[in-house]
Amino acid sequence: MAKDIDWSSLGFGYMPTDYRYNAEWKDGKWDKGGLTKDSTVTISESAGVLQYAQTCFEGLKAYSWQDGSIVCFRPDLNAKRLQDSARRLLMPEVPEEMFLDALDQTVKANKDFVPPYGTGATLYVRPFLFGSGPVLGVSPAPSFTFRLFVSPVGPYFKGGIKPLKICVSDYDRAAPKGTGHIKAGLNYAMSLYPGDVAHKNGYAENMYLDAATRTHVEETGGANFIFVTKDGRIITPKSDTILPSITRRSLVYVAEHYLGLKVEERVVPFEEVAEFEEIGLCGTAAVISPIGRIDWKGGSIQVPSGMDEMGPVLSKLRSTLTGIQEGTIEAPEGWIRKIC
Ligand SMILES: *Cc1c(COP(=O)(O)O)cnc(C)c1O
């Protein structure tokens, strides 16, 4: 029986559910791992995660389909990306099969928390990995925890999709050749202050430029850019210092193979931004959020698609990808993992 939750009034926040998955790594190997009802974590006061921020995470969603099944979208890519993040932070990799098994077990055990088809709400899944054993000198933790919990979240856009006003940040999102490509709390911690500055100035997000030259578009704190040219091509920034968004990679495929659009993944000079017809941000949370205006110290760009609604090309991309995720449009081979 579905829980008695008002799905339409849910926002994006943590709601503890009945079960979560936990596994421990020690002496070179993972233990068996399994579900627990305990929503708290007890660790040493000197845990690697607390002292030196040795932690990384993932984010994906489970969807209810019209036929009642529950599915996830390309979770194998989240598993691989968590491994990339783990390697850069000197943490043990979670094997892909173990990641997918944790996902299956946890979503199944909490299936009453998966919002029904048609509500626009979804079950957000948060896998994460952290140094749980004690350190004092700077070194990787001696033991690690992999955990995965879920939380129902509401439709991202309540009351329609409104284009955002963003600004070019004076801060860098990540070190020039450092850690920009991994999904780590430390990058988010560093983005809190610049995010607060942007919000206080009336902007929804920061556009970060590349830290090395400050001439190329990178991404925002938590989403990649996708641009549409006046002649209907899709352009998306190529950089090893941005997070490889699974939504962006999927949209690129959808643009080429479902909509027959030309796609260019390349360096995007900031000067070029004023020439684009439509601009969007992409990530798991919103799929695509449109941008209507971009301000910086030297001026302001009014995106031609305007401040009232998402432009036609991004709208088509968005509805095609959400159709694939919700099971109303046939997915490419291997994109959908049926959980139950
Ligand atoms: C998670 C994340 C994204 C979006 O990635 P998806 O896989 O599409 O959810 C983009 N940028 C950053 C910095 C992120 O952490």
Side-chain angles (χ1 to χ4, degrees), residues 127-141:
F128 59 116
L129 170 64
F130 59 95
S132 39
V135 295
L136 195 52
V138 178
S139 67

Side-chain angles (χ1 to χ4, degrees), residues 83-226:
Q83 293 178 341
D84 290 341
S85 298
R87 276 195 299 276
R88 182 63 179 80
L89 290 165
L90 221 57
M91 295 200 276
E93 289 177 22
V94 175
E96 187 172 323
E97 316 79 76
M98 177 176 156
F99 180 101
L100 295 172
D101 177 50
L103 173 68
D104 289 355
Q105 284 194 48
T106 315
V107 172
K108 246 184 236 164
N110 293 293
K111 70 176 191 321
D112 296 344
F113 288 92
V114 186
Y117 178 82
T119 56
T122 51
L123 188 76
Y124 184 76
V125 181
R126 170 54 60 89
F128 59 116
L129 170 64
F130 59 95
S132 39
V135 295
L136 195 52
V138 178
S139 67
S143 55
F144 294 87
T145 300
F146 169 61
R147 201 167 167 103
L148 184 150
F149 67 75
V150 297
S151 186
V153 296
Y156 196 82
F157 297 107
K158 289 209 180 99
I161 302 179
K162 279 285 168 204
L164 306 172
K165 200 172 82 170
I166 66 170
C167 62
V168 177
S169 182
D170 293 332
Y171 297 87
D172 299 322
R173 195 186 69 86
K177 285 201 167 66
T179 56
H181 62 293
I182 63 170
K183 205 165 179 79
L186 63 93
N187 287 332
Y188 278 78
M190 291 302 171
S191 76
L192 292 176
Y193 183 81
D196 186 58
V197 172
H199 294 153
K200 283 185 171 140
N201 287 319
Y203 299 103
E205 289 286 347
N206 278 309
M207 169 186 269
Y208 291 102
L209 302 179
D210 72 294
T213 72
R214 301 191 64 79
T215 54
H216 303 139
V217 178
E218 292 267 88
E219 60 171 325
T220 65
N224 286 182
F225 279 102
I226 181 154

Side-chain angles (χ1 to χ4, degrees), residues 21-26 28-34 98 144 146:
Y21 176 94
N22 195 94
E24 303 287 331
W25 185 95
K26 214 172 69 187
K29 56 179 189 299
W30 288 104
D31 71 3
K32 201 170 150 300
M98 177 176 156
F144 294 87
F146 169 61

